[in-house]
Amino acid sequence: MSAAPPAAAVGSGKELANPPTDGISNLRFSNHSDHLLVSSWDKTVRLYDADANVLKGEFVHAGAVLDCCFHDDSSGFSAGADHTVRRLVFGSAKEDLLGRHDAPVRCVEYSYAAGQVITGSWDKTIKCWDPRGVSGPERTLVGTYAQPERVYSLSLVGNRLVVATAGRHVNIYDLRNMSQPEQKRDSSLKYQTRCVRCFPNGTGYALSSVEGRVSMEFFDLSESAQSKKIGVVRPCCLLRSLKFVCRELRYAFKCHRKSEAGRDTVHPVNAIAFHPIYGTFATGGCDGFVNVWDGINKKRLYQYSKYASSIAALSFSKDGHLLAVASSYTYEEGEKSHEPDAIFIRSVNEVEVKPKPKALAAP
């Protein structure tokens, strides 16, 4: 994507008090307020009021917590390295065991459309759970669905579920019929997947990898449908000049790279977060930068000043006015001294995330 002029240093944002003490695995804003749920390798799930900078509650698990998501404004679910899936109710400090996998649980999502919790594990399965099942874990399990490899990332939009696994596999499901995937794909990127996130409008998903690239994929692969969504028809010459890979109007772009003396330093892209109003998206990489992109017009809108450590996770608030940034070393260079883990809350200006209108060609 084309780069915007470098942004002036505007600071990192407001740093939250009482952050996790080990690597931050994920963070998520509530769909109803400015509450922020954070999971960590320090075995905790924490609930913050991000706007007030207050820690409202904390649950301690037996092992590292690899993911978390909200159920409602004061309860959520966790995915544990101890193979467990848990429901956490912060108001009453109540914790329920929904169930288990046979290996660490890497991902958890709650589907408001289906009323189910979806988990993905390194045991090469997806499981769906009914959180209303209060008679024990055997009552909450709705189904188990084998995957080709270990699950690395999940994303939901409406009734669509996208599952990204090791081996660069991508399975796309309809939650109303989980008997088999609607589509089975391979990532268009050459190396290991880090994150997948669905477009807010439900037409596709963005997928990032360890190679400093992001691919934009569409559920409907017909040429006419994709032409309408992207707004162009096979502009291959233009795309090559912008370093795009054009594959039937699916495209990928380079990011989170630094070129010095003719050599590229490539950083993994750990996080993707879509703006809920404008549909633009932020990416966070091991280079410590957060970039904001316009996927339709194929350009970078903004780059925030560099953070002290890797960007492990990102999340926009429900109205898009806040961006939570997890600055947390992800051990891409192995054991070494690093800055303390921190969470920053940025106030988002419209100019940073609103797509810029295309300039009209001169008559």
Side-chain angles (χ1 to χ4, degrees):
M1 289 192 175
S2 57
V10 292
S12 299
K14 174 178 65 180
E15 185 172 356
L16 286 187
N18 302 303
T21 57
D22 201 351
I24 298 166
S25 55
N26 204 6
L27 48 73
R28 310 230 194 173
F29 270 111
S30 167
N31 288 333
H32 309 288
S33 70
D34 290 336
H35 286 178
L36 185 73
L37 200 62
V38 180
S39 57
S40 170
W41 283 80
D42 71 359
K43 305 179 184 179
T44 67
V45 177
R46 300 171 189 233
L47 178 69
Y48 297 88
D49 183 325
D51 191 46
N53 199 351
V54 172
L55 177 63
K56 295 181 67 67
E58 178 179 354
F59 281 91
V60 179
H61 291 50
V65 187
L66 304 184
D67 199 5
C68 62
C69 69
F70 275 100
H71 185 198
D72 55 35
D73 208 37
S74 59
S75 67
F77 303 99
S78 65
D82 62 354
H83 306 186
T84 64
V85 182
R86 298 178 184 272
R87 175 172 48 190
L88 314 171
V89 183
F90 285 90
S92 61
K94 182 182 178 183
E95 176 181 337
D96 295 323
L97 177 67
L98 278 188
R100 295 178 179 273
H101 279 264
D102 294 329
V105 188
R106 178 62 186 89
C107 314
V108 60
E109 296 280 349
Y110 179 70
S111 168
Y112 292 93
Q116 294 180 5
V117 180
I118 296 97
T119 55
S121 169
W122 293 339
D123 67 4
K124 303 181 184 180
T125 68
I126 293 291
K127 292 191 177 187
C128 295
W129 314 85
D130 184 347
R132 298 168 298 178
V134 294
S135 301
E138 71 281 357
R139 296 289 184 89
T140 66
L141 182 62
V142 175
T144 301
Y145 310 98
Q147 301 301 303
E149 252 293 356
R150 291 157 293 161
V151 177
Y152 283 165
S153 189
L154 298 178
S155 188
L156 286 170
V157 60
N159 284 302
R160 270 225 168 89
L161 168 67
V162 180
V163 183
T165 76
R168 300 171 43 253
H169 302 289
V170 178
N171 281 345
I172 301 168
Y173 289 91
D174 185 331
L175 289 175
R176 295 164 296 188
N177 179 14
M178 290 287 292
S179 59
Q180 61 182 4
E182 277 189 323
Q183 298 180 38
K184 296 182 179 181
R185 300 186 184 181
D186 289 329
S187 166
S188 59
L189 305 181
K190 295 180 180 179
Y191 297 99
Q192 178 181 304
T193 299
R194 274 292 171 93
C195 182
V196 64
R197 291 291 180 265
C198 291
F199 302 166
N201 66 6
T203 60
Y205 59 91
L207 182 145
S208 70
S209 75
V210 299
E211 66 189 291
R213 288 180 186 264
V214 172
S215 68
M216 305 295 285
E217 308 278 347
F218 295 87
F219 296 131
D220 187 343
L221 292 176
S222 68
E223 182 175 325
S224 59
Q226 293 199 47
S227 299
K228 292 175 185 176
K229 290 163 189 168
I230 302 176
V232 291
V233 179
R234 295 188 184 276
C236 296
C237 295
L238 172 62
L239 296 186
R240 277 196 291 268
S241 70
L242 294 176
K243 299 182 179 179
F244 285 101
V245 180
C246 181
R247 292 189 179 94
E248 297 300 321
L249 293 177
R250 300 154 64 187
Y251 67 88
F253 62 92
K254 296 179 181 179
C255 54
H256 298 280
R257 296 173 176 228
K258 185 176 182 180
S259 184
E260 288 183 326
R263 294 186 62 184
D264 270 355
T265 302
V266 179
H267 300 276
V269 184
N270 299 318
I272 302 170
F274 279 89
H275 191 272
I277 306 302
Y278 295 117
T280 53
F281 61 98
T283 59
C286 288
D287 56 355
F289 283 105
V290 176
N291 296 319
V292 182
W293 308 91
D294 178 350
I296 300 298
N297 294 315
K298 304 182 179 71
K299 63 171 62 177
R300 191 175 75 192
L301 296 174
Y302 209 81
Q303 182 179 77
Y304 295 112
S305 52
K306 187 176 182 179
Y307 287 85
S309 194
S310 309
I311 306 304
L314 297 168
S315 182
F316 283 104
S317 61
K318 63 181 177 61
D319 57 8
H321 288 145
L322 299 176
L323 173 64
V325 180
S327 175
S328 179
Y329 180 53
T330 56
Y331 288 83
E332 64 275 6
E333 297 178 6
E335 286 282 355
K336 69 173 189 178
S337 61
H338 55 85
E339 294 293 320
D341 301 291
I343 300 168
F344 296 92
I345 306 299
R346 301 192 66 98
S347 293
V348 177
N349 295 320
E350 191 175 73
V351 68
E352 300 164 2
V353 293
K354 185 176 181 179
K356 295 177 175 59
K358 288 185 177 181
L360 297 176

